[in-house]
Amino acid sequence: MTIELQRPVGDPIVLDDPGRHSFRVDRRAYTDEDVAARELTRIFDRCWLYVGHESEVPGPGSYVARDVGGRPVVMARGSDGVIRVFANSCTHRGALICSQPAGQVRSFRCPYHDWTFSNQGDLVGVPIPDGYGPGFRKADFGLARHRSDTYRGFVFVTFDPQQPLTLTEYLAGATEYLDLVDDQSEAGMEVIRGAQLHGAQANWKLMMENSVDIYHFRALHKRYVTYMESLGSVPPRRRGGFGRALGLGHGANELPPAAARPLAYWTPMFGAEVRPRIEATAARFVDRFGPERAQRITGTNRALLVFPNLMIIDAIAITIRKIDPVGAGRMAITSVALAPRDEDPDIRELRKSHYLTFLGPAGFATPDDIEIIESCQRGYLNRTVRYSDLSRGMNKEVPETTDELPAREFWRQWDRLMHGDDGHHVEAAHPGGAHGTGPR
Amino acid sequence: MTIELSVDEAAQVRLWHRVSQFLFREARLLDEWRLREWYDEMLTDDVRYAVPATDVRDGTTDALGLVDDDAARLRQRIEQLLNDEVWCENPRSRTNRMIGNVEILADRGTHLDVAANVVVHRFGHGRSDAYVGKYRFELVVAGESFRVRRRVVVLDHETLYEHGKLSIIL
């Protein structure tokens, strides 16, 4: 217990000292259940959170049921075509009104007492209604609707009716990167069926950090590097590119591809047969967007962190990774692939194939990420080592992708929200973010 | 009392026995990390090893799964696992594959469709996990034995939340 006595509750967790190029995080942030409980109220109850992609609810009545910020919700497209997000809980006694993960319905029926709600959330059926007095009005018992909005196909929700920012304001500089993803198809992007549902016995923030950490790539992922070398792609030790802080906790890395990109960047690993098609696509992007922006869309990799718990990694394939805390020491991970709706079938197969090679719980890289963050979590059991260091690149004007700028942006926003400063109000006045937006 | 088998039944029992022995040997080679031997002796050159997603189990090919290896990528997977560059399998997991309910679904002369239930217990890095699923094999008849041409493991788990990863070959 002496260790605990050395750590008064009010001790700062994030120690940010730009003058000394020092940035440290107290490892209580990853291990303390009180911190985890506070994150739910200070962060997940307030921020805009990613729910899903509009392509997951393509037609009237289609829905998905999932947990967001620890709460069961239903994202449904009503018969009127509008996408809404509801609390997945009957307004009568609380049972889940939707126990299938996905489907298409005209109405949701609670299995407990058969209360029935339209796919627009209205209570439309109550068995044996004479059990209620004249003051009972169905209109008072519609499904609880959360405030939701969509940016370029990405649907977000906030559980805070007082959230002062619109979704677009909240996304700040991250919109630039969502645009680069959604611009990849004129027909629209779609989530490919088949989710990779897994997790880790580690704090959720470790996966957020890992997902914007390029520094570890050649060390931890030697086997993937070996695999790429066997296919004729040799990633350099210094990848080039740069990291960016996008404001409000969002960050990104942008860097030259280490391998092919199925949209429009061919390398020999894709085989000669599809080369003309891929190069024709690249030419169409030049026509649509001009050479500079086309190159950025088609010929550049990026990893985008949207605070607090969304990652979009656009490289050998596009993955949308939603990371949910489960107490201090566990997390749930949902990963899906995003692709152009009108993609050539052969190229779609290449995309899926190479997605699986790198990503997911059985890929040649992600399992090592899972294991290493679980290793970090176990390492924190030795509380003598109090801090983790995230200072790489603080000595540079433009941090590289092997630096830790996006992670610092995440932590700075985390610290503001956890300690009561309303980061949302503060940052709204500076849409570029308080810590610079890097190049471009 | 002895049970008289008809000629047909006796042939079926022999075939079932040979198939079961084949699956048990495969399980043993995988448990003993004799992965190159497994690859060289028990698989066809055009083998496919797949683990579908836990939320799409209807066999549709347009969905993204967890594993979809052709022979070349499976070979890569094996070489990686054996050369100690795989952090999450170094030290190597201890595994124990329990196979049951072996059933020959169809005998097509040159090849067989075989189903079995499997539990793969995996221990490593302080964790213990059990992967529960169904094997769907296409076995090509090769003399008195077989080779695997298609090897699909349909997991029964709703998610791999508990496991986190699937770093072994199921």
Side-chain angles (χ1 to χ4, degrees), chain A residues 117-151:
Chain A
F117 303 87
S118 78
N119 57 25
Q120 295 170 216
D122 303 319
L123 178 62
V124 293
V126 176
I128 322 178
D130 59 9
Y132 294 104
F136 179 88
R137 295 186 312 158
K138 282 185 189 163
D140 295 336
F141 288 88
L143 292 176
R145 183 176 173 187
H146 300 301
R147 184 175 159 198
S148 65
D149 201 358
T150 303
Y151 184 83

Side-chain angles (χ1 to χ4, degrees), chain A residues 67-86:
Chain A
D67 284 2
V68 173
R71 305 177 186 222
V73 302
V74 180
M75 173 172 79
R77 192 187 288 272
S79 293
D80 59 356
V82 175
I83 295 175
R84 298 176 180 83
V85 179
F86 300 111

Side-chain angles (χ1 to χ4, degrees), chain A residues 270-330:
Chain A
F270 274 177
E273 200 192 324
V274 298
R275 183 173 189 174
R277 277 175 273 175
I278 288 182
E279 290 181 348
T281 307
R284 279 203 305 280
F285 273 84
V286 173
D287 290 344
R288 259 179 83 195
F289 294 102
E292 197 177 323
R293 183 161 176 83
Q295 164 64 21
R296 196 160 172 228
I297 294 169
T298 63
T300 308
N301 284 359
R302 65 202 122 247
L304 170 67
L305 185 161
V306 178
F307 190 90
N309 69 330
L310 171 67
M311 283 298 314
I312 296 176
I313 301 166
D314 177 2
I316 191 112
I318 304 172
T319 183
I320 303 174
R321 186 184 276 168
K322 170 175 166 285
I323 293 156
D324 292 297
V326 184
R330 303 198 73 156

